[in-house]
Amino acid sequence: MRLGKYTYFTTVTSVALTGCTASISPSQFFYRDPPERASTNTSDTDFEFADFECGKLSYTVLNSGNGTGTLVYYGGNQFRLSEDLSNLKKVLPFSGIRTAVAFDYPGRGLTTGDITPECFVSASIEAARIAQKLRMKSEPLIGHGFSFGGMMVPQVASKIVFDNLILESTAASPEDWLRAMAPPGIKVRVDPSLDKFRSIEALENSDAKILVITGTEDASAGPKVAQKLSDALEAKNKTVQLLIVPGAKHGEVFFKPSAIAKLRQLAVGKQ
């Protein structure tokens, strides 16, 4: 579900384009919010805080009042707790999920810490640990990564045991995503510091059941990107299901009945 603005990039023109080369740099993902954005807040959201390796994590816990399963939401690069929780609150009561944990990456909202890939991963792991403590015995733990978060959650899954993973509107790596969007003849260059965000390799030792999902109208990570991700996971003998949601744009899939039905299955541990 898109809980924030479009993330990563929606057209190749939003990445650095020089001559016949399109490139992605770490600064397009890892940056600190200006003070005026960090200070925004929603009056009906209770923030909690936890120490992690790089600073203090700002997170919130949402309870549906019914259902089973605990979900950790890894938002896109533009997701902010203070701005973007309303859609999650709308979906949660119908999802079959009992509890959801959402958080801000370092330098976003009230989360502190260095603006590095390592600190983003550290914060993401801490969010999963919080969810582990909240999970009731025997109910599934679900990691849900949207857009940029879809490449973050596999990093967490290499350290934390998830029962199910949702990779929504994302790609196997920054390079794969950019290659899918670049016009014919354009060379692709990705900064080496982003090489660690390769989902297939990160999920090598994970036994989680994986749902790869996107919409037919997703201009950022649509059906071709999702199919490539799904095929790569299957080639590694992962239990994976691909769901393409008709008519859904980037971040809209979980407002569609077919996706909600699948989410309810994951909540009870089914694929």
Side-chain angles (χ1 to χ4, degrees), residues 185-200:
I186 295 291
K187 296 179 181 179
V188 168
R189 182 175 61 218
V190 177
D191 189 279
S193 65
L194 297 175
D195 282 346
K196 71 177 301 178
F197 292 98
R198 294 184 176 275
S199 299
I200 308 305

Side-chain angles (χ1 to χ4, degrees), residues 9-267:
F9 47 85
T10 54
T11 67
V12 74
T13 56
S14 63
V15 300
L17 189 58
T18 305
C20 293
T21 301
S23 61
I24 301 177
S25 69
S27 63
Q28 291 170 273
F29 307 111
F30 307 105
Y31 55 84
R32 193 178 302 277
D33 279 345
E36 60 270 19
R37 188 173 191 187
S39 65
T40 60
N41 197 350
T42 51
S43 59
D44 60 345
T45 299
D46 293 324
F47 296 109
E48 300 185 51
F49 297 91
D51 292 328
F52 72 106
E53 186 177 37
C54 299
K56 193 172 290 291
L57 183 75
S58 173
Y59 70 96
T60 191
V61 178
L62 302 177
N63 293 293
S64 68
N66 58 69
T68 183
T70 298
L71 181 143
V72 194
Y73 184 76
Y74 297 89
N77 198 40
Q78 289 296 317
F79 174 79
R80 305 293 186 276
L81 288 176
S82 59
E83 302 171 3
D84 302 314
L85 275 177
S86 60
N87 286 339
L88 179 55
K89 290 179 178 180
K90 290 176 184 176
V91 171
L92 191 62
F94 307 101
S95 68
I97 301 294
R98 181 181 64 85
T99 302
V101 175
F103 69 101
D104 279 323
Y105 297 115
R108 316 292 169 81
L110 300 175
T111 296
T112 63
D114 293 336
I115 310 304
T116 63
E118 292 75 18
C119 284
F120 271 53
V121 172
S122 178
S124 299
I125 291 172
E126 180 60 29
R129 289 174 175 155
I130 291 167
Q132 281 182 317
K133 295 175 183 178
L134 295 172
R135 177 176 60 165
M136 295 181 66
K137 186 177 180 180
S138 78
E139 75 176 9
L141 182 65
I142 304 165
H144 180 173
F146 166 65
S147 198
F148 168 76
M151 286 184 287
M152 190 65 64
V153 70
Q155 304 301 315
V156 182
S158 68
K159 306 292 184 182
I160 301 290
V161 177
F162 287 102
D163 298 287
N164 295 307
L165 294 175
I166 302 171
L167 304 181
E168 179 191 351
S169 300
T170 191
S173 67
E175 181 179 350
D176 276 2
W177 202 332
L178 183 54
R179 286 189 184 281
M181 298 186 67
I186 295 291
K187 296 179 181 179
V188 168
R189 182 175 61 218
V190 177
D191 189 279
S193 65
L194 297 175
D195 282 346
K196 71 177 301 178
F197 292 98
R198 294 184 176 275
S199 299
I200 308 305
E201 292 82 351
L203 292 171
E204 186 73 33
N205 297 316
S206 174
D207 293 325
K209 298 180 178 68
I210 303 169
L211 172 66
V212 176
I213 186 168
T214 192
T216 58
E217 306 305 311
D218 193 320
S220 296
K224 289 184 179 180
V225 179
Q227 184 70 63
K228 183 176 181 179
L229 174 57
S230 178
D231 289 346
L233 289 166
E234 285 188 344
K236 293 293 185 178
N237 297 315
K238 301 302 176 183
T239 302
V240 57
Q241 183 172 356
L242 174 65
L243 180 61
I244 307 296
V245 180
K249 297 179 181 180
H250 196 61
E252 294 182 350
V253 295
F254 283 103
F255 295 104
K256 304 293 184 179
S258 60
I260 285 290
K262 179 56 61 177
L263 192 56
R264 294 185 68 87
Q265 291 179 5
L266 295 178

